[in-house]
Amino acid sequence: MWAIEVKDLMKRYRGNGFAAVDHISFSVESGEMFALLGPNGAGKTTAIKILTTLLKPTSGTAKVAGFDVGKDKDSVRKSIGIVFQEPSLDWRLTGRENLDFHARIYGIGREERERRLEEVLKLVELEDKADVVVDKYSGGMKRSLELARGFIHSPKVLFLDEPTLGLDTQTRRRIWDYIRELNDSEGVTIVLTTHHMEEADYLCERVGIMDRGKIIALETPKNLKDLIGSDLVSLEMNTGSYEVEVFKKLDFVTDFIAHEGFVTLKMERGDLRIPAIMEVAKLAGIEIKSVNLRKPSLEDVFLHFTGRRIRE
Ligand SMILES: Nc1ncnc2c1ncn2[C@@H]1O[C@H](COP(=O)(O)OP(=O)(O)OP(=O)(O)O)[C@@H](O)[C@H]1O
Ligand SMILES: [Mg+2]
């Protein structure tokens, strides 16, 4: 069963000459963890806002939990939870009060509310801080509380817009674990946006890579990486202009891409090829500053499709 069905969705903001979301289509299965991965301005938040009924699309359709986001807003809203990119807690209230207020809005009865409150506080490990005002929470604790608030009413679909933006690595990993736990224990469908390759890779069964309003690839992280192939050898070169095409002469190089001072070569058994690569570089008068051998990451996938790095 589909939790989300998006068909030919387009959004052009008034005054903009371009489409922020440019005719995208995708579906997310019930219980799936799905990521929209892309750089700043790719259109991720715009897409999430349409799916959560906060923004009207210019054209196209979207269904969430079986309901049309245009025609059946109330049913969509009852079926979803949202964690916004921008923090949206009431800082003057305690963690418990924030959660309680939200649960009341959803009309959850007292007994159920109290049970659920303890449950979600436990999951995000905030039991001890429940009665402290949010103003005194750390960034990671605030984000954890927002996550708890997003699913206290047991939504079918949970939207997380940049759930770990600005958090340190350790806190980020903890939040990843909460998200996983939530998906495991409650079977909630999760749609998250991120520019964090590792986040999408670690959490999601499928990833839609978004750039300039379009979904340019949609696959499992593994298939996306397999698409790039085996080993990648990146050479950092001294500034100056060189004919990087010389690397094409190496018959084991199956593909190559040059980008700001780097050239990345694709090949099998890169570990055995480095001496030959260095030799060719030397003959061509190219000075190599550093060499890096790795398996493809989603970053390489992005580079492959766009010719740019995601963090520019
Ligand atoms: N209210 C608005 N009015 C006009 N243009 C907007 C508005 N909101 C977003 N945009 C533009 O739409 C494009 C997509 O923005 P969006 O916020 O959806 O990107 P994003 O992928 O979420 O980026 P980020 O990773 O920075 O959060 C950008 O070019 C942005 O400037
Ligand atoms: Mg955004």
Side-chain angles (χ1 to χ4, degrees):
M1 209 182 75
W2 297 119
I4 292 177
E5 288 179 86
V6 174
K7 286 202 186 113
D8 213 20
L9 205 59
M10 195 274 269
K11 175 70 189 178
R12 190 191 302 275
Y13 287 105
R14 197 171 308 169
N16 281 0
F18 62 95
V21 165
D22 197 358
H23 300 277
I24 62 170
S25 300
F26 66 92
S27 301
V28 179
E29 228 173 293
S30 192
E32 190 179 356
M33 294 222 255
F34 181 85
L36 285 175
L37 172 75
N40 289 129
K44 306 181 297 294
T45 296
T46 302
I48 294 290
K49 280 186 178 162
I50 295 171
L51 293 179
T52 53
T53 75
L54 299 173
L55 197 65
K56 216 174 128 192
T58 308
S59 64
T61 60
K63 276 188 180 173
V64 174
F67 304 111
D68 189 289
V69 296
K71 297 184 192 122
D72 211 347
K73 278 201 177 96
D74 282 349
S75 304
V76 171
R77 287 181 185 179
K78 281 187 191 129
S79 314
I80 62 173
I82 318 171
V83 175
F84 296 100
Q85 183 168 351
E86 305 296 337
S88 68
L89 294 162
D90 192 327
W91 291 26
R92 297 158 302 179
L93 300 182
T94 65
R96 189 187 302 280
E97 287 164 347
N98 265 285
L99 295 177
D100 188 66
F101 182 70
H102 184 83
R104 280 168 194 261
I105 288 179
Y106 276 89
I108 304 172
R110 191 170 65 92
E111 245 171 70
E112 168 73 358
R113 213 163 62 223
E114 279 168 9
R115 188 185 62 76
R116 223 15 219 169
L117 226 133
E118 293 313 318
E119 230 169 65
V120 300
L121 282 170
K122 185 159 181 282
L123 189 130
V124 298
E125 300 176 280
L126 283 176
E127 301 113 301
D128 295 348
K129 299 283 179 187
D131 297 308
V132 174
V133 285
V134 168
D135 203 19
K136 296 195 172 139
Y137 278 27
S138 70
M141 283 158 56
K142 285 183 192 136
R143 215 53 186 150
S144 301
L145 184 67
E146 293 200 297
L147 191 62
R149 188 185 56 181
F151 67 84
I152 193 167
H153 55 290
S154 309
K156 290 202 181 82
V157 184
L158 182 58
F159 292 93
L160 308 172
D161 198 359
E162 306 274 0
T164 64
L165 190 69
L167 300 179
D168 60 88
T169 312
Q170 215 183 342
T171 311
R172 169 173 289 144
R173 290 204 166 267
R174 254 204 342 268
I175 297 224
W176 289 355
D177 289 340
Y178 302 151
I179 296 173
R180 267 210 171 153
E181 170 64 25
L182 193 62
N183 177 258
D184 277 352
S185 65
E186 311 206 2
V188 54
T189 307
I190 292 176
V191 176
L192 62 88
T193 77
T194 184
H195 21 300
H196 230 270
M197 302 284 175
E198 227 192 313
E199 183 159 288
D201 199 356
Y202 182 80
L203 284 176
C204 293
E205 287 144 66
R206 285 184 312 141
V207 176
I209 298 188
M210 240 187 134
D211 188 37
R212 295 174 179 162
K214 292 194 159 67
I215 291 182
I216 52 177
L218 199 165
E219 265 296 350
T220 64
K222 181 175 183 307
N223 285 353
L224 284 171
K225 288 184 276 184
D226 282 352
L227 206 99
I228 303 298
S230 29
D231 288 343
L232 294 173
V233 174
S234 275
L235 308 170
E236 187 187 0
M237 299 183 290
N238 247 334
T239 45
S241 60
Y242 308 106
E243 289 299 321
V244 286
E245 271 80 11
V246 295
F247 296 110
K248 270 190 188 162
K249 277 197 305 227
L250 297 162
D251 56 7
F252 55 81
V253 172
T254 55
D255 199 4
F256 94 126
I257 179 162
H259 47 102
E260 348 91 51
F262 284 85
V263 61
T264 298
L265 311 172
K266 194 166 115 182
M267 68 197 67
E268 302 290 336
R269 292 309 307 268
D271 50 335
L272 304 177
R273 307 297 195 181
I274 289 172
I277 295 169
M278 296 305 279
E279 186 62 28
V280 163
K282 199 174 156 198
L283 286 174
I286 298 176
E287 200 182 322
I288 305 289
K289 283 208 294 200
S290 70
V291 181
N292 168 280
L293 166 68
R294 65 180 189 284
K295 295 285 173 199
S297 68
L298 288 182
E299 177 83 47
D300 296 302
V301 177
F302 187 79
L303 188 64
H304 169 85
F305 279 107
T306 66
R308 286 174 292 119
R309 284 164 180 261
I310 201 162
R311 280 179 203 290
E312 279 165 348

